[in-house]
């Protein structure tokens, strides 16, 4: 059974930075695309960033220029570097496979909480 284990969340002031990590227990890690997603209280889970096996990336408009997704195939790990954090970035952050409609997908790990104070 594939597992995604997220870590690195916490409480940070607006303008601060955090680096999230996600270890994926999948044997075909290097040949698959992955993504980071988030869910704020009272809102649907949404796309944050994707990274493909080629290393190419795409981002939600709200985080473009502030967040960077990367991967280490040797460690089966996906990272999300978050800079210039804003209170509206407060959410539980999850990593998973490349998912087109995260609000319609059911298999998620425990996520990691990110709270940004103003």
């Amino acid at each position: 059974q594939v597992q995604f284990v997220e870590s690195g969340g916490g409480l940070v002031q607006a303008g601060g930075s955090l680096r999230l990590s996600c270890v994926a227990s999948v044997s075909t890690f290097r040949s698959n695309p992955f993504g980071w997603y988030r869910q704020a209280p009272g809102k649907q889970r949404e796309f944050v960033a994707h990274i493909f096996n080629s290393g190419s990336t795409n981002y939600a408009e709200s985080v473009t220029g502030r967040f960077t997704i990367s991967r280490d195939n040797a460690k089966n790990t996906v990272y999300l570097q978050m800079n210039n954090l804003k209170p509206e970035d407060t959410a539980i952050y999850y990593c998973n496979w490349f998912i087109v409609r995260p609000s319609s997908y059911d298999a998620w790990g425990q996520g990691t909480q990110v709270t940004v104070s103003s």
Side-chain angles (χ1 to χ4, degrees):
Q1 183 177 352
V2 175
Q3 278 192 315
F4 295 92
V5 180
E6 305 92 344
S7 63
L11 173 63
V12 64
Q13 288 189 329
S17 298
L18 284 173
R19 188 194 195 203
L20 307 184
S21 299
C22 170
V23 178
S25 61
V26 51
S27 60
T28 57
F29 182 91
R30 65 176 59 246
S31 61
N32 279 283
F34 297 97
W36 282 98
Y37 310 88
R38 68 186 181 186
Q39 187 168 21
K43 295 188 177 181
Q44 288 189 327
R45 193 173 280 120
E46 65 178 6
F47 158 73
V48 175
H50 285 142
I51 186 164
F52 299 90
N53 53 326
S54 64
S56 62
T57 60
N58 59 21
Y59 298 90
E61 186 175 345
S62 60
V63 307
T64 298
R66 300 188 297 121
F67 291 11
T68 303
I69 188 171
S70 61
R71 62 192 292 163
D72 185 336
N73 291 334
K75 296 182 179 181
N76 276 28
T77 301
V78 183
Y79 302 100
L80 187 68
Q81 177 66 44
M82 306 186 295
N83 298 328
N84 190 22
L85 283 160
K86 304 176 180 181
E88 52 263 41
D89 295 318
T90 295
I92 300 175
Y93 284 71
Y94 304 86
C95 70
N96 215 315
W97 305 103
F98 173 90
I99 299 169
V100 174
R101 291 192 178 92
S103 61
S104 302
Y105 191 75
D106 292 333
W108 299 92
Q110 84 286 353
T112 186
Q113 175 72 50
V114 171
T115 303
V116 185
S117 63
S118 57

